[in-house]
Amino acid sequence: MVTRHEVPRSVSVRAAAKINLHLGVGAVREDGFHPLDTVYQAISLYDDITLTSVGVASLGLQCADYIDPADVPLGADNIGFRALERVRARTGSPGVEKLEILKSIPVAGGMAGGSADAAATLLAYDRLHDLALPDEVLLELAAELGSDVPFSLVGGTARGRGRGELVQPLDDSGTWWWVAVPSDVGLSTPEVYRHFDMLFPNALTEPTGPDSLLIALAGGEPLQLARTLYNDLQAPAIDLRPELGTLIDRGESEGALRGIVSGSGPTCIFLCDSLGGAHAVVAGLRGAGHDVVLIANGPVAGAHLLEHP
């Protein structure tokens, strides 16, 4: 509890959006989950989390102008608050904090913005209270919160297996340029998985692996990487939202090497040959009527401290 004589302490942590360069999905298991074999990449679209020791818990939210604040869950439904509850329960550490979110990662877009917030909150809580939790504990807490949360801690480029929560960092010395086009209307991840089950009732038990993509990453050539991008959820996402297929075709006609649905969608991402190529694709898509078109590069770091007074 902070008294009137104490100066509140604050810690700010930045976490990146993720994209899936490869997303292999296996047949649904008896527990309702699908086994995954995926390659994540963290790209330079960020959410910033600030935790401050205060007397009364609260949540503050600021959003980029292309994000509707009404789309961000607040209170107990916010994954950042859930992360606080989980780490308090695990460590037994008392504390009352103000949680502030500065959000630039598109919401419900298949880019793990909520997972980024959860990962950043775990790290911020650890640093705010000087807990020095081992990486293994933070990753375990992250996996309890969601399949993408461990990668949001790790960042860079990494392979994810299991439900995506078993993360293995990969060597990736490339600089890859991406254009991301979010949608005004979200797409439910469970709905996309259900549609995958309907479209592919005979899906293989084990998901398709990323062998060719790993070779392309090592090669460092954008065109080679473009040829190996893969997403088993793209077909069900486009079947539910045909305009996503139209968008991908348009981005490729404007010069993108390849366009794919990001994760379960509806954000679409386009690999470009350079920063200049990305700007050309942005201009073409904006000219085609897409108001929000974002440029990012990857890989970038996972959740990391911005300030620690």
Side-chain angles (χ1 to χ4, degrees):
M1 181 72 69
V2 177
T3 73
R4 63 179 180 175
H5 302 294
E6 294 176 330
V7 177
R9 294 183 64 211
S10 291
V11 168
S12 295
V13 172
R14 171 165 288 176
K18 70 87 183 168
I19 56 177
N20 298 81
L21 310 186
H22 176 97
L23 181 52
V25 180
V28 63
R29 304 183 313 206
E30 290 185 0
D31 62 4
F33 289 102
H34 295 75
L36 303 179
D37 196 343
T38 186
V39 175
Y40 299 112
Q41 186 169 102
I43 63 171
S44 59
L45 298 173
Y46 301 103
D47 282 0
D48 293 345
I49 293 289
T50 299
L51 273 188
T52 305
S53 295
V54 293
V56 179
S58 63
L59 188 151
L61 175 67
Q62 297 182 57
C63 294
D65 57 9
Y66 51 82
I67 295 174
D68 184 351
D71 292 335
V72 182
L74 299 177
D77 291 333
N78 185 275
I79 193 171
F81 264 164
R82 298 207 306 273
L84 285 177
E85 292 173 352
R86 190 63 59 95
V87 70
R88 283 196 196 106
R90 176 64 178 267
T91 62
S93 300
V96 180
E97 298 86 21
K98 177 181 180 181
L99 173 62
E100 298 175 273
I101 303 173
L102 178 59
K103 179 163 281 294
S104 299
I105 302 173
V107 177
M111 303 187 81
S115 296
D117 295 350
T121 301
L122 290 175
L123 183 60
Y125 187 91
D126 177 71
R127 299 300 188 264
L128 182 67
H129 296 290
D130 298 318
L131 299 177
L133 293 172
D135 290 346
E136 295 78 11
V137 173
L138 288 172
L139 287 168
E140 183 180 334
L141 288 166
E144 293 172 1
L145 288 160
S147 298
D148 289 335
V149 184
F151 173 72
S152 294
L153 281 173
V154 172
T157 303
R159 188 173 184 177
R161 282 176 273 196
R163 301 197 308 271
E165 81 282 9
L166 304 175
V167 178
Q168 174 191 359
L170 298 172
D171 290 332
D172 182 1
S173 59
T175 298
W176 312 101
W177 287 99
W178 302 92
V179 169
V181 185
S183 172
D184 292 336
V185 180
L187 187 55
S188 163
T189 296
E191 182 181 8
V192 175
Y193 274 100
R194 286 193 296 269
H195 207 59
F196 171 85
D197 295 336
M198 185 191 75
L199 291 178
F200 305 105
N202 298 315
L204 297 176
T205 302
E206 294 300 321
T208 301
D211 293 350
S212 59
L213 184 130
L214 298 181
I215 294 170
L217 283 173
E221 288 293 330
L223 184 58
Q224 185 182 10
L225 183 65
R227 290 170 176 157
T228 62
L229 298 176
Y230 181 90
N231 184 1
D232 273 332
L233 295 183
Q234 178 160 303
I238 290 176
D239 202 51
L240 290 167
R241 296 274 295 275
E243 70 272 18
L244 301 181
T246 302
L247 170 58
I248 288 171
D249 290 342
R250 183 58 186 256
E252 291 177 348
S253 74
E254 296 293 345
L257 299 178
R258 180 83 181 279
I260 61 171
V261 172
S262 177
S264 60
T267 299
C268 292
I269 56 170
F270 299 89
L271 179 61
C272 302
D273 59 3
S274 62
L275 175 58
H279 279 294
V281 173
V282 168
L285 289 173
R286 287 179 176 164
H290 295 278
D291 295 330
V292 181
V293 188
L294 309 171
I295 290 179
N297 67 282
V300 299
H304 59 280
L305 206 64
L306 288 181
E307 57 186 63
H308 191 180

